Amino acid sequence: MPETPAPQHDPAQPTDATAAPAPVEGPPEADTSWSVRSALRSPRRLRTEVLGGLVVALALIPEAIAFSIIAGVDPRLGLFASFTMAVTIAIVGGRPAMISAATGAVALVVAPVVRDHGVDYLLATVVLGGLLQVALGALGVARLMRFIPRSVMVGFVNSLAILIFVAQLPHLVDVPWQVYPLFAVGIVVMVLLPRWTTVVPAPLVAIVLLTAVTVLAAIRVPTVGDEGELPESLPQLLVPDVPLTWETLRIVAPVALTMAVVGLLESLLTAKLVDDITDTHSNKTREAWGQGVANVVTGFFGGMGGCAMIGQTMINVKVSGARTRISTFLAGVFLLVLVVGLGDLVAIMPMAALVAVMVMVAVGTFDWHSVRWRTLRRMPRSETLVMLTTVGVTVATDNLAYGVLAGVLAAMVAFARRVAHLTRVVRLDASDDGDRRVYAVEGELFFASSNDLVYQFDYTGDPREIVIDVSKAHIWDASSVAALDAVAQRYERRGKTVTIVGMNDDSARRHSRLAGTLGG
């Protein structure tokens, strides 16, 4: 089961990687200037943060239980992970109001360790994965986010919106007929209530209302308690019971590295999404190592690990209007209070209510502007292909990392092909005495564009002196230098001389360092 959402765009306006989405739903005072201190001083702002944290906590419970099942562990490990991740990231994270908890992406990665070696090896994997995230954050891996194109980001949010919706379908199939009217009522409440008031988040009203209806009318429908056993005690500090040997490292290190990369990728993409929605800037480096710290803490408290959750983050930021670390911290605290102190009450909540909440999140997440015919008609085909590749791979594999990497690779190939076609060789007139020919090379020279460079010259028909003017070109790599060497060698075999002129400083440094050293 995934977690996701994305901003809606005005169909009349072109979208853009950094464009702010439609106004955030929520109380009018939910502006981007919020801070923890200002929220604590304002009862209205504090109420928004508290209610946002409560709604997120309720939505986290079935998700955490479901992810625990995916990982093959007791539901308590997913619930404890959601508590420790949320509380810790609220303190050390770089993106206020973002929710981190147990996630499906991490569950899929760590499941083989649990199956083959047991829970203690899982906890060791989570701790090592957190340490690797701290190291990657310190090394500046967050700066790599600039290489993720807008089309991949659009594909990312669309695919996760689809996954969120698909993940709810099992709760709507082969269930008592009463589930469907309850689900419909929940949708209606969340659509209509915000038009009247935003004092209380509509998802919270829907959950409370449907729970009251099922209890008072004694309606028997699937409940949160049916998803798995809730914990009855607080998480305890522990050290994974694994031997400190190279064999243990061999077992946990590959999985820990994969978990670290997948967790950082999902967290940093979510942080960028929240930046766009709130029109603010977050500290991605701090968020990267903060995720690592949260996972280390989670591993030592018996949690299954996690990362940012896009669905719950959208509930907190976009639906509830929360903006500070208070809501994230309280989401973790409320979660623990609900499952440990009020477990019997939480257990009777109908799944229909929570499914309605997540379906509305999925609908609000999907970038509908990106699939409108008017947008697709204007968008270059390569950009649409990149978006569809990201969506297709993510949905097919249920793995965000695979989808984003496939999208980035598709974008790189599309970019290389597009730039390669912008390079050309122009043959200028020969000199008056017929002894010199000038060629002008225009465009960006790199491995894709320089591949056919050697076939653009008339080696036999040209005079003895050849001038290649690259003043309108740039040499980017060794492939381009090798191509120019090959051109010169072909002329020299025919007793002709080649002079290359017009290089800019960067091209000249690269050419002087590599020319004549790359083989025949």
Side-chain angles (χ1 to χ4, degrees):
M1 291 177 62
E3 333 83 37
T4 337
Q8 301 270 353
H9 300 285
D10 180 356
Q13 298 294 331
T15 53
D16 162 294
T18 58
V24 175
E25 298 176 12
E29 68 272 22
D31 60 78
T32 58
S33 63
W34 281 26
S35 66
V36 171
R37 182 175 298 178
S38 65
L40 290 174
R41 291 175 176 174
S42 170
R44 296 184 66 189
R45 292 182 174 185
L46 183 59
R47 181 190 63 210
T48 298
E49 298 294 310
V50 172
L51 293 177
L54 179 58
V55 175
V56 169
L58 292 170
L60 279 173
I61 295 171
E63 297 274 295
I65 294 174
F67 298 147
S68 300
I69 295 172
I70 292 174
V73 298
D74 188 290
R76 287 175 293 184
L77 272 71
L79 292 166
F80 288 161
S82 296
F83 161 68
T84 53
M85 288 291 298
V87 170
T88 306
I89 205 66
I91 299 171
V92 301
R95 173 63 261 178
M98 193 168 79
I99 305 297
S100 291
T103 60
V106 171
L108 289 170
V109 171
V110 301
V113 174
V114 180
R115 182 184 64 242
D116 299 335
H117 303 283
V119 172
D120 282 303
Y121 279 84
L122 163 66
L123 301 182
T125 300
V126 172
V127 172
L128 180 58
L131 293 174
L132 290 173
Q133 287 178 327
V134 172
L136 291 171
L139 292 173
V141 70
R143 289 193 291 270
L144 296 178
M145 284 296 296
R146 70 185 67 179
F147 295 107
I148 297 183
R150 177 193 174 277
S151 297
V152 175
M153 278 294 299
V154 173
F156 162 74
V157 295
N158 286 351
S159 59
L160 289 179
I162 293 171
L163 288 176
I164 287 179
F165 179 80
V166 171
Q168 310 312 311
L169 296 182
H171 300 292
L172 298 173
V173 177
D174 293 330
V175 293
W177 67 267
Q178 294 94 332
V179 169
Y180 302 110
L182 290 172
F183 171 77
V185 170
I187 295 292
V188 170
V189 168
M190 285 181 283
V191 170
L192 297 182
L193 183 62
R195 300 180 182 179
W196 298 332
T197 179
T198 56
V199 172
V200 181
L204 179 59
V205 174
I207 292 170
V208 172
L209 175 63
L210 295 184
T211 301
V213 169
T214 55
V215 171
L216 295 176
I219 301 174
R220 297 181 61 84
V221 291
T223 63
V224 171
D226 297 330
E227 296 295 300
E229 182 181 356
L230 300 178
E232 298 178 352
S233 61
L234 299 175
Q236 297 180 346
L237 182 64
L238 55 85
V239 177
D241 185 16
V242 297
L244 300 178
T245 63
W246 286 110
E247 178 63 17
T248 299
L249 185 63
R250 183 190 65 80
I251 293 170
V252 304
V255 182
L257 179 59
T258 304
M259 171 193 158
V261 172
V262 169
L264 285 181
L265 186 59
E266 185 158 352
S267 299
L268 294 175
L269 285 172
T270 304
K272 186 178 187 306
L273 184 61
V274 178
D275 288 353
D276 292 343
I277 291 175
T278 60
D279 196 22
T280 58
H281 180 69
S282 60
N283 188 331
K284 304 298 190 303
T285 297
R286 177 176 173 179
E287 183 61 38
W289 63 255
Q291 289 288 331
V293 172
N295 272 304
V296 171
V297 172
T298 296
F300 281 123
F301 276 92
M304 58 174 277
C307 60
M309 295 187 77
I310 303 178
Q312 279 66 21
T313 297
M314 290 301 105
I315 291 175
N316 193 45
V317 173
K318 194 174 182 183
V319 178
S320 301
R323 289 292 181 274
T324 75
R325 300 174 188 274
I326 296 175
S327 58
T328 306
F329 181 84
L330 290 180
V333 173
F334 283 144
L335 172 66
L336 192 64
V337 171
L338 289 170
V339 299
V340 176
L342 303 174
D344 293 339
L345 178 60
V346 172
I348 65 175
M349 292 180 180
M351 283 301 298
L354 296 173
V355 169
V357 171
M358 296 311 295
V359 166
M360 288 300 295
V361 168
V363 172
T365 294
F366 197 88
D367 187 352
W368 298 100
H369 176 81
S370 68
V371 295
R372 289 195 175 100
W373 171 244
R374 218 168 39 165
T375 303
L376 295 175
R377 187 175 55 192
R378 291 197 305 262
M379 192 69 64
R381 292 182 181 178
S382 59
E383 299 283 330
T384 301
L385 179 62
V386 169
M387 187 265 285
L388 294 176
T389 298
T390 306
V391 171
V393 174
T394 301
V395 172
T397 63
D398 200 17
N399 190 310
L400 167 68
Y402 292 160
V404 171
L405 289 176
V408 170
L409 289 175
M412 290 171 59
V413 172
F415 175 77
R417 290 190 60 187
R418 187 161 58 247
V419 174
H421 292 310
L422 297 178
T423 302
R424 63 175 187 156
V425 177
V426 180
R427 182 177 176 180
L428 304 180
D429 294 334
S431 60
D432 294 338
D433 57 10
D435 288 336
R436 187 177 67 165
R437 168 77 66 187
V438 179
Y439 287 91
V441 180
E442 302 173 355
E444 307 301 317
L445 295 178
F446 65 111
F447 62 90
S449 62
S450 62
N451 189 48
D452 295 329
L453 191 65
V454 293
Y455 305 114
Q456 307 301 313
F457 299 85
D458 184 3
Y459 301 101
T460 302
D462 281 342
R464 291 186 306 170
E465 185 180 348
I466 308 299
V467 176
I468 301 177
D469 182 359
V470 294
S471 58
K472 296 183 179 180
H474 193 109
I475 299 172
W476 287 106
D477 60 7
S479 297
S480 303
V481 176
L484 291 173
D485 282 353
V487 171
Q489 290 166 7
R490 291 195 177 199
Y491 275 116
E492 288 168 0
R493 285 199 294 268
R494 292 168 174 78
K496 302 174 183 180
T497 61
V498 175
T499 304
I500 301 176
V501 299
M503 288 188 194
N504 58 42
D505 292 341
D506 183 66
S507 298
R509 284 193 297 270
R510 188 170 289 109
H511 185 268
S512 63
R513 186 169 65 250
L514 297 176
T517 66
L518 299 174

